[in-house]
């Protein structure tokens, strides 16, 4: 039997899970502060939830999906991202009755990719979506939430917000024509993928990771020149809002996003500290997606944060909060086992983290207490039990004192 986890997946525990949970909980806490409710959508959905038409040219949909037919012969796909499932739920649960809808999610996503540092086949994202609010103020709020999360993780100085607009449908169409005209001159030099994109969705060439494509992209026309007045005004309001809130950004006129349904604002928070996998949080406005999925015309905007990459980043930069330290109970001798179990129980009922070694003499148990980084030991032997006390030892200083059992929780208060 092969006991390794499948390629691109891993067991997450110990220090990695600590960092991981810190990231997830920070996004959750801030999303709550901004008025988002949490949703858990299914891990797999009907394939058409993710793959909506022949125009789909994103890597995610065209190459990376885990699609299978189940025993009933229906085609399902493990979710590669969060937005499509949330929008599907918005439509099928009839949420459009009460707008705007603000939803937070966190969980695993699945993409068939070449695994490397910061790139997995089972990845994890925490994200938010606002449905039914079309004002640029919403874009600013979503960006502000993302910025707050990154700052709370201690990453304010390590990430850069890159911002762009894809304009409305009219601007996008004009830009598309300009890109077709430009890239058609270099058709032979384009990568095979980008030749397909040229036919189906030329904007996506700008997102190519092919080195030859990248050279051609350097001189490609920029979106900015093709924005109509309403699109320009929308983008200006977003930038004005960011300025007012003191959120730093750079406009990257060649930024497009991995999925085809984006409109107006698109953004990525990028770090230089993770090598090639530098994007840690990304999103944008997707007015039109709800309609495409059979719901009423509804504006949408959101982001997905890469939990794995953010956990790596706070680990490498030493920004992971220390774990709370436990208290160790140390019975000395058989007769002390039950009384120490009772003491541990009372302490746990009072909210303390309490652990013990289960076996061994006192010296061994104290060694184990150090190994689990306990801050204090509650030592109980025959003498102590007879007197109704325990010895509380500070494991950092070695100081110790006798404490009546009834006073244990109060005496340990300083070790919380
Ligand atoms: P990339 O360009 O790195 O492939 P993407 O554009 O495909 O990223 P999104 O679909 O925008 O990524 O997902 C949002 C975030 O999820 C990314 O910014 C990244 O932090 C994270 N992410 C995406 N794919 C992976 C992966 N395979 N492994 C780990 N994290 C990932
Ligand atoms: Mg990708």
């Amino acid at each position: 039997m092969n006991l390794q986890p499948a390629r691109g997946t891993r067991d997450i525990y110990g220090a990695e899970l600590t960092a991981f949970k810190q990231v997830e909980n920070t996004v959750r806490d801030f999303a709550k502060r901004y008025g988002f409710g949490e949703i858990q959508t299914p891990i797999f959905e009907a394939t058409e939830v993710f793959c909506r038409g022949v125009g789909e040219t994103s890597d995610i949909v065209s190459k990376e999906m885990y699609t299978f037919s189940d025993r009933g012969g229906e085609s399902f796909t493990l979710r590669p991202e969060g937005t499509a499932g949330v929008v599907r739920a918005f439509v099928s649960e009839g949420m459009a009755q009460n707008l705007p809808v603000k939803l937070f999610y966190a969980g695993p996503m699945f993409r068939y990719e070449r695994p490397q540092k910061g790139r997995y086949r089972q990845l994890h994202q925490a994200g938010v979506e606002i449905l039914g609010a079309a004002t640029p103020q919403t874009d600013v709020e979503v960006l502000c939430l993302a910025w707050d999360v990154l700052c709370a993780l201690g990453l304010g100085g390590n990430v850069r917000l890159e911002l762009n607009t894809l304009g409305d449908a009219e601007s996008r169409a004009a830009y598309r024509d300009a890109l077709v005209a430009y890239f058609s001159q270099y058709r032979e030099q384009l990568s095979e993928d980008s030749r397909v994109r040229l036919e189906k969705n030329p904007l996506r060439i700008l997102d190519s990771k092919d080195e030859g494509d990248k050279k051609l992209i350097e001189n490609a026309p920029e979106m900015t020149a093709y924005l109509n007045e309403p699109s320009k005004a929308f983008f200006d309001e977003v930038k004005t809002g960011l300025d007012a809130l003191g959120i730093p950004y750079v406009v990257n006129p060649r930024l497009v996003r991995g999925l085809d349904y984006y409109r107006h604002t698109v953004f990525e928070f990028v770090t230089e500290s993770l090598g090639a996998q530098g994007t840690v949080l990304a999103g944008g406005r997707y007015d039109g997606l709800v309609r495409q999925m059979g719901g009423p015309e509804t504006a949408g905007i959101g982001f997905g944060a890469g939990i794995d990459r953010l956990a790596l980043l706070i680990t490498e930069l030493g920004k992971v909060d220390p774990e709370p330290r436990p208290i160790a109970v140390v019975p000395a001798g058989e007769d002390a086992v039950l009384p120490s179990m009772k003491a541990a129980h009372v302490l746990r009922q009072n909210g303390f983290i309490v652990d013990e070694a289960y076996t061994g003499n006192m010296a061994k148990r104290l060694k184990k207490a150090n190994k689990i980084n306990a801050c204090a030991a509650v030592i109980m032997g025959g003498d102590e039990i007879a007197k109704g006390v325990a010895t509380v030892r500070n494991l950092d200083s070695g100081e110790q004192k006798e404490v009546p059992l009834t006073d244990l929780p109060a005496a340990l208060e300083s070790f919380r």
Side-chain angles (χ1 to χ4, degrees), residues 64 111 113 119 209:
E64 297 173 359
R111 301 183 186 181
E113 301 207 63
R119 191 174 292 284
K209 282 164 185 143

Side-chain angles (χ1 to χ4, degrees), residues 60 111 113 118-120 123 125 209 257 279-280 306 309:
I60 297 175
R111 301 183 186 181
E113 301 207 63
R119 191 174 292 284
Y120 311 99
L123 58 135
Q125 293 182 340
K209 282 164 185 143
R257 296 273 312 118
T279 306
V280 291
R309 287 186 197 173

Side-chain angles (χ1 to χ4, degrees), residues 183 189-195 197 205 208-218:
F183 284 115
Q189 284 151 262
L190 282 173
S191 68
E192 209 177 305
D193 281 345
S194 285
R195 256 176 272 158
R197 294 178 182 128
I205 299 176
S208 172
K209 282 164 185 143
D210 179 89
E211 289 306 321
D213 288 351
K214 280 188 184 168
K215 289 220 177 65
L216 296 172
I217 292 164
E218 276 173 28

